[in-house]
């Protein structure tokens, strides 16, 4: 066998071995990821089973959906802002009226507060 061909064969073999090792590393990494995903799925399932077993437990409020960004024109945004501010102002006014009405009625119905009694034990 000629020297040139022998060198070429060695180069090809080295290249194949190198590719084989990278493929092996890649496959091992995939296997590890798949096992981790399977373990996470099993843990999630068991947690769901325990949560279903005790229905009195509250769901965690930390998991929130991401809000969608509204694609509004500046004019529409200003219009909505004005409408919300007007609604909030009306709500505050209604609450203030309800408080003043209930305070006036309650004071007429309640007896005056009793002075504290002096106890001999000092309590």
């Amino acid at each position: 066998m000629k020297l040139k061909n022998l060198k070429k064969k060695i180069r090809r073999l080295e290249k194949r071995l190198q590719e084989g090792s990278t493929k092996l590393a890649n496959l091992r990494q995939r296997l590890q990821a798949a096992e981790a995903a399977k373990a996470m799925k099993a843990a999630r399932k068991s947690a769901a089973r325990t949560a279903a077993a005790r229905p009195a437990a509250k769901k965690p409020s930390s998991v929130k959906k991401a809000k969608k960004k509204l694609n509004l024109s500046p004019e529409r945004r200003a219009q909505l802002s004005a409408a919300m501010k007007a609604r909030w102002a009306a709500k505050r006014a209604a609450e203030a009226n309800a408080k003043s009405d209930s305070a006036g009625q309650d004071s007429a119905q309640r007896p005056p507060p009793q002075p504290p009694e002096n106890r001999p034990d000092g309590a």
Side-chain angles (χ1 to χ4, degrees), residues 21-110:
S21 66
T22 56
K23 279 186 180 180
L24 179 63
N26 191 9
L27 289 174
R28 281 187 178 155
Q29 193 175 12
R30 280 189 193 173
L31 177 65
Q32 239 178 0
E35 286 174 347
K38 189 176 180 181
M40 286 291 290
K41 188 176 180 181
R44 219 178 289 133
K45 261 190 178 178
S46 68
R49 281 192 199 122
T50 57
R54 48 187 167 130
K58 290 184 178 180
K59 289 186 179 179
S61 61
S62 62
V63 180
K64 293 182 181 178
K65 270 190 175 178
K67 284 191 175 181
K68 273 191 173 181
K69 185 175 185 281
L70 298 177
N71 296 322
L72 297 174
S73 66
E75 296 84 17
R76 180 62 179 153
R77 187 179 298 277
Q79 186 182 11
L80 284 174
S81 174
M84 292 298 285
K85 285 178 183 175
R87 188 183 305 164
W88 294 334
K91 187 177 179 182
R92 274 193 304 260
E95 285 178 3
N97 286 342
K99 282 184 182 177
S100 65
D101 289 345
S102 65
Q105 290 172 358
D106 289 345
S107 62
Q109 293 173 355
R110 287 187 190 166

Side-chain angles (χ1 to χ4, degrees), residues 7-20:
K7 284 182 181 179
K8 201 184 277 188
K9 280 191 176 190
I10 292 172
R11 199 176 338 119
R12 285 180 184 159
L13 182 61
E14 285 176 347
K15 185 179 179 184
R16 200 173 343 130
L17 289 173
Q18 182 68 29
E19 286 175 356

